[in-house]
Amino acid sequence: MAKTLDIVPVSEWGFFTLPRPMVIAGPCSAESQEQVLETAAGLAAFGIHVFRAGIWKPRTHPGSFEGVGTPGLKWLQQVKRDYGMKVATEVAGDKHVFECIKYGVDMVWLGARTTANPFLVQEIADALSDTDIPVLVKNPVNPDLDLWIGALERLNRAGVKKLGVIHRGFSSSEKMAYRNDPLWKIAIELRTRYPELPFFADPSHMGGSRDYLQEISQRAMDLGLDGLMIESHCNPSAALSDASQQLTPKALQHMLESIVVRDNDSDSREYREGIDQLRAQIDIIDENLLYAFNTRMGISRKIGQYKKDHNIAILQTSRWDSILEKMKEKARQSGLSEEFIETVFTAIHEESVRIQNDVLER
Ligand code: PEP
Ligand code: MN
């Protein structure tokens, strides 16, 4: 069972006033005072309350624009003063944290490359330990849920209680349309283990292109996530980093207005009764499945014994291949996903082999 995290509910951070989605927006990088202020003005104009801008940028190649550094923190102070926004930036080490504290940055996040490095996470956690600054942790670049959770635990142990996460997708060697593989199942797993953790999606870095922002944001809302972090730039085509995935504040406003946000739950009596009935049916079917698994594994045990008595090896791959093919054919006919059926029966088969092995070794 997962350990619990000791966290302060996001409703007590004093950051987000609107209902879902909570939105954090701003440029990939702070580039100039004018760019920062113009972008912030455009975002504040339609109610965005939390401004993001990278000050130190982790770039793949040296010589790319690596951020303006500390001078940019003054521009963030001006965004706070002029527009009453909260400001957030990425930190990748304790020096960044100390600069952020000095300049009154309201919230920080750990980038994907940093989350993948426990030394840096610990250094950042220690630097933040006497502060009350909220911290959002992006998923590590590699699809390793434990590494993500480990970063949350390090921060939490250091006393960071205003904690949240940002799902930005995972690096992949597969060729695909998105810049990073969403692997939503990892996000869903984390969400299930820590339902109280504020959960943001980052469609900008996941999609890598303006064209995908809408569909990814919609998906994030359909999964019931709390918020979105989206890159917005007053002049996207001239951006010094991530130009193809940024939107003008106006375009971001339109995009957000096009998203359908469904409630996470409802108190209405009619909804309650309907959903309770359906869930009761599911509960019965799940129990039947459990009973069927149990019966099936009992037979596997008998088969194991029978093979042992007759000195026969456990694995007969041709038999297994034909079972799987038959099941996939039935899945096709009944409209079930073949991939799903293959996953389920492969798991059943593995367990069956394990049980027969047990019998044989006894
Ligand atoms: C960013 O938010 O600009 C950034 C560098 O993101 P990531 O850490 O997700 O790559
Ligand atoms: Mn970026």
Side-chain angles (χ1 to χ4, degrees):
M1 207 41 220
K3 285 180 233 106
T4 53
L5 295 168
D6 179 15
I7 66 169
V8 174
V10 69
S11 56
E12 291 169 27
W13 296 9
F15 269 59
F16 301 98
T17 46
L18 297 167
R20 280 173 73 233
M22 306 186 287
V23 178
I24 302 164
C28 179
S29 307
E31 299 167 1
S32 69
Q33 186 181 27
E34 296 68 38
Q35 171 250 10
V36 166
L37 294 179
E38 189 182 335
T39 307
L43 295 168
F46 70 97
I48 300 295
H49 198 61
V50 185
F51 185 77
R52 67 149 279 157
I55 295 289
W56 303 278
K57 299 301 298 178
R59 303 308 299 279
T60 302
H61 297 287
S64 310
F65 173 66
E66 293 189 319
V68 293
T70 301
L73 294 172
K74 290 225 168 82
W75 310 333
L76 295 188
Q77 287 182 321
Q78 212 171 335
V79 168
K80 290 176 67 157
R81 251 195 337 265
D82 294 358
Y83 302 108
M85 296 170 103
K86 301 279 189 190
V87 297
T89 196
E90 174 178 342
V91 290
D94 57 4
K95 289 194 189 65
H96 296 162
V97 174
F98 299 134
E99 290 295 90
C100 286
I101 295 170
K102 189 161 141 201
Y103 286 87
V105 170
D106 299 294
M107 177 164 76
V108 296
W109 77 85
L110 273 62
R113 295 155 194 81
T114 307
T115 306
N117 183 336
F119 291 124
L120 286 178
V121 175
Q122 192 60 53
E123 177 181 308
I124 292 167
D126 293 340
L128 282 163
S129 66
D130 293 327
T131 73
D132 192 31
I133 299 176
V135 183
L136 301 180
V137 182
K138 289 201 179 193
N139 61 266
V141 276
N142 52 326
D144 182 341
L145 180 58
D146 273 330
L147 201 52
W148 198 357
I149 292 174
L152 293 165
E153 288 171 344
R154 282 179 197 280
L155 288 154
N156 202 221
R157 280 187 182 201
V160 177
K161 295 190 176 169
K162 292 178 180 164
L163 259 187
V165 290
I166 305 172
H167 179 41
R168 50 77 87 192
F170 300 91
S171 280
S172 170
S173 56
E174 306 264 314
K175 226 175 125 61
M176 60 184 165
Y178 290 173
R179 175 174 169 184
N180 287 298
D181 192 341
L183 293 178
W184 289 107
K185 64 179 180 203
I186 295 186
I188 292 166
E189 168 93 35
L190 184 64
R191 180 69 158 169
T192 311
R193 286 207 216 169
Y194 302 99
E196 71 286 6
L197 205 57
F199 211 122
F200 292 79
D202 173 350
S204 308
H205 294 91
M206 197 177 279
S209 156
R210 280 183 278 286
D211 298 345
Y212 303 129
L213 294 176
Q214 208 272 345
E215 66 187 48
I216 298 173
S217 301
Q218 184 63 62
R219 189 73 196 274
M221 288 304 104
D222 291 345
L223 289 171
L225 302 193
D226 303 306
L228 301 168
M229 177 190 258
I230 303 189
E231 289 186 340
S232 175
H233 189 294
C234 55
N235 183 7
S237 58
L240 299 181
S241 59
D242 288 350
S244 56
Q245 69 194 31
Q246 304 204 59
L247 283 177
T248 62
K250 263 264 161 294
L252 174 61
Q253 180 181 6
H254 290 149
M255 195 282 280
L256 289 172
E257 283 166 0
S258 76
I259 296 174
V260 183
V261 182
R262 296 177 181 86
D263 288 342
N264 268 343
D265 210 344
S266 163
D267 289 333
S268 103
R269 191 161 145 215
E270 183 205 335
Y271 170 78
R272 280 267 137 242
E273 284 173 1
I275 198 81
D276 286 350
Q277 260 185 33
L278 292 169
R279 284 180 176 160
Q281 292 177 36
I282 291 265
D283 288 348
I284 292 170
I285 292 174
D286 284 350
E287 277 184 31
N288 287 341
L289 283 174
L290 210 73
Y291 178 77
F293 285 147
N294 200 16
T295 313
R296 194 191 190 285
M297 295 309 161
I299 294 174
S300 294
R301 210 165 284 118
K302 279 191 189 152
I303 291 183
Q305 189 58 48
Y306 199 68
K307 286 181 181 167
K308 186 177 183 180
D309 295 346
H310 292 80
N311 212 19
I312 305 287
I314 291 172
L315 214 52
Q316 273 99 45
T317 47
S318 59
R319 156 118 177 112
W320 165 239
D321 287 346
S322 81
I323 294 182
L324 192 58
E325 272 323 303
K326 206 168 65 195
M327 285 305 165
K328 278 162 64 177
E329 177 55 32
K330 288 197 173 174
R332 257 193 302 276
Q333 286 166 8
S334 64
L336 280 166
S337 134
E338 270 181 64
E339 200 189 338
F340 164 66
I341 288 303
E342 179 159 2
T343 307
V344 170
F345 277 92
T346 303
I348 291 175
H349 183 241
E350 279 171 12
E351 179 61 3
S352 181
V353 169
R354 191 189 65 78
I355 286 173
Q356 293 185 37
N357 240 324
D358 258 15
V359 174
L360 226 65
E361 280 167 12
R362 233 187 283 132

